[in-house]
Amino acid sequence: MSAPPPAVGRARRLGWPQRVFSQVLLMQLAIATGVTVLATGLFLAPLSAQLDDQAMRRALAIAQSTAAQPQIAEALLATAPGPAGPVQSATERIRRATGAEYVVVMDRRGVRWSHTDTARIGRVVSTDPSDALAGRDVMEIDSGTLGRSARGKVPLRDEANRIVGAVSVGIAYDSVRARLLAAIPGLLAYAGGALSVGALAAWLISRRLQRQTHDLAFSDISALLTEREAMLHSIREGVVALDRNGRVRLLNDEAQRLLGLGPDAAGRPLDTVLGEGRTADVLAGRVVGDDLLTVQGARVLLANRMPTDDGGAVATLRDRTELEHLGRELDSTRGLIDALRAQDHEHANRLHTLLGLLELDMHEDAMEYLTEVVGVHRATAEQVTEKVRDPLLAALLVGKATVAAERGVALRVAPGSLLPDRLVDPRGLVTVVGNLVDNALDAAAGTDNALIEVGLRAEGRTVVLRVRDSGPGVPPTQRASIFTEGWSTKELPAHGRRGLGLALVRRLAERQGGDVTVDGPAGGGAEFTVVLPEALADPGITNPETAGPETAGTGRSEPERTEPNTGIAGEAQ
């Protein structure tokens, strides 16, 4: 699905871009720039405070070293303040050695005994020295006669540890600011490098996003998503999307209906939600091909699978149940027409024979001939209904016997067969018997002494069905494959599909907790055995289909009639 083309002649407006690529790139650049500026600011703020603290501690250390020299205190007590005094000489030597802006020694009155500007010696200091004269060390940023500076002040003590004055040392604040400004270019260089790397990463990510979104705008993506949701849930075709790990990524309403799944199947592995079988193999890509047939529940599905670029796949499902039934009915109708055509010829021969007998005044022979012809058909019907009490199943066998006779195959009910009229699901059993008999008829037709034998007996509530034919049989290597959807050895019919009948037989048997097997009897041919547990109602119920929603005496609900009563023929012989 492609993006809608831009309108011809549409004026381009300045402002926020519409493409996902452009918007994501701008947002990532804004985030990277904001983070860089914030990180730089957060780094500079403590750096300035750290430089101030370092300057104040340096000034305090110089003041403490100066006050620790005993000759300073002795000269303060023994001499008068002056530009050439010993205190001035000693402090100037210390100032030049340490690089301080000033080293001031004062007495207890706050009178300077040393200063960088000798004219200020003998005058009272400009800042309050009371804390230092009280015996406390002081660190501060303050302004004085020489301007703003980082200061350290300590008390000056004599040999008796008495406070006789104080020492104040200042570090020019301009040097502190200079160190801060000197650090900014390097910091900005690092920040610019980080921003460049972030911008490059943002561009690469946005380019990848541009390719993945096909350079669509957010409004286009929203519209496409809305259209996709509407399309997926409105089409009458199942859509199943899988990721690269085989998990269900998307399942539309029709797919849920066809596969018998709920919306909770999304996000779960395909084999978990569907179980083992051909349907899971087709959707997972383990069976490849176009228009693959599979049976899911009572439905015949046509599946196609298309891989996607991310390693997943999208599979489409079409319900061909009704179409397959119509195709089978077409095949059955054509076979019935051929049988009727042959029967028409036979009927004409009988009428001609009867007419000749009447014209020859052989009335007794004519009556005997009619009795014999009618008696054969009556005997067949009576034989079936005597052993098979269910009317639907008996009618099926009588009809199949007529068709088999027209094809030169004898169909009989096996000795010892007896099926009471207590079937829980007679339509399901009709489908099973019809498929197996049609299969046997196709296999036995054209062989010597062609025969089909149908055995039905009840064992408690279990029905055991056996259908044996005189055909070529099923090779042992193929007996496990004949129940697979799509497996067949016959030519394609008019509707172009085969290989469903035996799969439906197995599915019907498994739904009732039973099983179907195939074997090769000693006399040759093939023998299919179907075991259906709990296929009969309790003996007190003679018509289970009208017994109500709860089957009397069984404590369980009547099974749904979901299997179609179409007599779909199996295709595995």
Side-chain angles (χ1 to χ4, degrees), residues 26 65 178 191 201 220 270 272 277 292 306 332 394 407 412 421 458 460 513 529:
L26 288 179
S65 299
D220 297 333
L270 180 67
T272 300
L292 296 173
M306 178 64 68
S332 300
R407 297 182 62 179
R412 70 186 184 192
D421 186 16
T529 302

Side-chain angles (χ1 to χ4, degrees), residues 230-509:
M231 178 185 68
L232 286 177
H233 295 290
S234 64
I235 60 175
R236 295 297 89 194
E237 190 168 297
V239 178
V240 180
L242 306 174
D243 62 14
R244 66 176 62 191
N245 298 317
R247 289 190 296 267
V248 178
R249 186 160 50 188
L250 180 144
L251 197 72
N252 73 341
D253 297 341
E254 184 68 5
Q256 294 178 27
R257 184 183 72 86
L258 295 178
L259 297 176
L261 302 176
D264 58 338
R268 298 169 59 192
L270 180 67
D271 292 333
T272 300
V273 298
L274 286 182
E276 296 181 357
R278 178 176 170 83
T279 302
D281 292 340
V282 169
L283 296 183
R286 294 188 287 268
V287 178
V288 296
D290 296 330
D291 294 337
L292 296 173
L293 277 178
T294 180
V295 177
Q296 181 69 13
R299 303 186 185 279
V300 180
L301 305 178
L302 192 67
N304 284 281
R305 185 178 186 275
M306 178 64 68
T308 56
D309 294 337
D310 61 353
V314 175
T316 58
L317 301 170
R318 282 177 284 169
D319 190 355
R320 290 184 59 95
T321 306
E322 297 299 328
L323 185 59
E324 289 295 327
H325 293 169
L326 291 175
R328 300 298 174 184
E329 290 179 2
L330 177 61
D331 287 346
S332 300
T333 302
R334 288 183 174 177
L336 182 58
I337 290 174
D338 292 338
L340 289 176
R341 186 179 295 112
Q343 195 172 28
D344 179 60
H345 288 287
E346 182 66 19
H347 185 64
N349 292 333
R350 289 170 180 170
L351 288 179
H352 293 157
T353 302
L354 181 61
L355 179 61
L357 291 173
L358 293 175
E359 288 180 350
L360 294 174
D361 294 329
M362 302 173 66
H363 299 95
E364 292 183 2
D365 292 336
M367 292 181 63
E368 184 179 349
Y369 177 71
L370 281 175
T371 302
E372 180 182 355
V373 170
V374 174
V376 172
H377 293 284
R378 182 180 293 115
T380 302
E382 290 177 354
Q383 179 190 18
V384 171
T385 56
E386 185 178 316
K387 297 181 179 181
V388 180
R389 305 293 175 79
D390 183 82
L392 287 178
L393 194 56
L396 173 71
L397 291 176
V398 171
K400 294 295 183 183
T402 302
V403 175
E406 297 299 334
R407 297 182 62 179
V409 180
L411 189 150
R412 70 186 184 192
V413 179
S417 296
L418 181 60
L419 185 67
D421 186 16
R422 292 187 286 111
L423 289 175
V424 174
D425 185 12
R427 293 178 178 85
L429 188 55
V430 163
T431 300
V432 172
V433 174
N435 278 284
L436 293 180
V437 170
D438 284 342
N439 248 16
L441 183 58
D442 290 339
T447 62
D448 295 335
N449 300 320
L451 173 67
I452 297 175
E453 186 176 77
V454 179
L456 286 160
R457 74 175 189 273
E459 297 178 356
R461 295 183 58 189
T462 300
V463 171
V464 179
L465 164 67
R466 285 189 173 87
V467 178
R468 182 173 65 87
D469 64 69
S470 59
V474 181
T477 57
Q478 297 181 352
R479 290 175 184 174
S481 304
I482 61 175
F483 299 103
T484 304
E485 297 95 326
W487 192 95
S488 178
T489 59
K490 300 179 183 179
E491 296 181 359
L492 291 179
H495 55 87
R497 301 291 174 191
R498 281 199 183 276
L500 297 176
L502 289 179
L504 285 176
V505 169
R506 182 181 65 173
R507 193 62 55 87
L508 283 169

